[in-house]
């Protein structure tokens, strides 16, 4: 079926509904003469007369009636499908799939998901958490949340959390038995919660900065994790010193369960971004999701646990 065939059939249905070229042309936004020419060409191509025409009236032939009866359900289905899309434009509907790290899920999505789902009851929010970067387009996700470097070239990246400061922490009971480190080199005498994110089992060295100095320290310990939150839990349980994010450690620092060390050596990271493929028509559910994140973090400019302002949208290089 050629693309023009659908347009011709739509024109035929409009003429059959009105039995008037002028009225049908007005509905379709074309001239009566153009519409008459379209129907005449269609009849010649099919080799069947569909309309009886005189200078004063018009009616359907028997073949025209049969064609109209068969076309009507299909045309109605097409009209309903287009109306569904129009409703979606006015009211978000459908599934929104987001790929995030565990930390991003807890600190970016969890604070707003109740309000989001209450505001948009026809949206289904699907969150998949993992620490491994993936091709969100190939995996069928609408967006991802993570470091800006995870956004491929040509993607749109929207900051959803300001810079994140590192906290090196241990349980108060641990430091009763072990002298707190004063420099990163002192970590060689401590049990540390190690990180392994790489498939080949490489253990992450801990980055440190002070002024213009930067160091990477290889640490040792009996526990290895791939989650900053789990590292905090290990530290609370007295299993060693953890290198984690300040926002995750803050509640335990306030309660006295954890003690912070090496604060003058603790670096900051760029924060988190929501990223998605660049296209002119952003899915409606994703657009309102981003808008709610903007509103939420714009409102959080006052001092808070995370202290992360919401910045402007930027295209990644």
């Amino acid at each position: 079926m050629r693309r023009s065939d659908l347009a011709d059939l739509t024109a035929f249905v409009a003429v059959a509904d009105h039995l008037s070229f002028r009225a049908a042309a007005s509905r379709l936004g074309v001239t009566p003469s153009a519409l008459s020419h379209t129907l005449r060409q269609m009849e010649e191509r099919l080799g069947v007369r569909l309309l009886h025409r005189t200078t004063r009236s018009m009616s359907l032939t028997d073949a025209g009636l049969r064609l109209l009866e068969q076309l009507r359900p299909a045309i109605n289905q097409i009209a309903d499908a287009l109306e569904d899309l129009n409703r979606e434009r006015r009211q978000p509907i459908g599934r929104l799939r987001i790929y995030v790290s565990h930390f991003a899920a807890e600190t970016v999505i969890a604070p707003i998901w109740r309000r989001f789902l209450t505001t948009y009851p026809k949206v289904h929010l699907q969150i998949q958490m993992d620490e491994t970067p993936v091709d969100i387009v190939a995996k069928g996700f609408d967006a991802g949340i993570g470091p800006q470097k995870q956004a491929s070239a040509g993607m749109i990246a929207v900051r959803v959390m300001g810079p994140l400061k590192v906290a090196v922490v241990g349980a108060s009971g641990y430091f009763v038995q072990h002298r707190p480190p004063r420099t990163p080199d002192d970590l060689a005498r401590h049990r540390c919660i190690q990180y392994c994110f790489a498939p080949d089992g490489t253990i992450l060295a801990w980055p440190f900065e002070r002024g213009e100095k930067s160091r990477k320290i290889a640490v040792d310990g009996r526990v290895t994790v791939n989650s900053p939150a789990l590292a905090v839990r290990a530290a609370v349980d007295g299993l060693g010193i953890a290198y984690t994010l300040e926002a995750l450690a803050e509640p335990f620092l306030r309660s006295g369960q954890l003690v912070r060390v090496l604060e003058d050596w603790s670096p900051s990271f760029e924060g988190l971004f929501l990223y998605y493929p660049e296209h002119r028509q952003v899915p409606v559910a994703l657009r309102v999701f981003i808008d709610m994140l903007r509103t939420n973090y714009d409102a959080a400019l006052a001092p808070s646990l995370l202290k992360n302002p919401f910045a402007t949208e930027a295209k990644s290089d």
Side-chain angles (χ1 to χ4, degrees), residues 61-82:
T61 65
D62 185 61
L65 284 170
R66 291 197 307 272
L67 179 60
L68 181 62
E69 289 174 358
Q70 292 178 303
L71 285 178
R72 182 74 69 191
I75 294 296
N76 289 341
Q77 286 181 347
I78 293 172
D80 290 344
L82 293 175

Side-chain angles (χ1 to χ4, degrees), residues 159 162-167 207-211 213 243-246 260 262-272 306-308:
R159 180 179 286 281
L164 300 168
K165 190 171 179 61
V166 163
F208 290 97
E209 294 177 2
R210 187 172 70 173
K213 297 181 180 179
Y243 183 100
T244 188
L245 297 170
E246 183 180 65
R260 189 168 188 172
L262 301 177
E263 185 170 1
D264 57 335
W265 278 95
S266 298
S268 295
F269 296 108
E270 65 174 352
L272 298 176
L306 297 177
K307 302 186 179 73
N308 290 312

Side-chain angles (χ1 to χ4, degrees), residues 262-285:
L262 301 177
E263 185 170 1
D264 57 335
W265 278 95
S266 298
S268 295
F269 296 108
E270 65 174 352
L272 298 176
F273 291 77
L274 181 146
Y275 53 93
Y276 59 94
E278 180 184 10
H279 39 57
R280 292 183 180 180
Q281 298 297 331
V282 177
V284 180

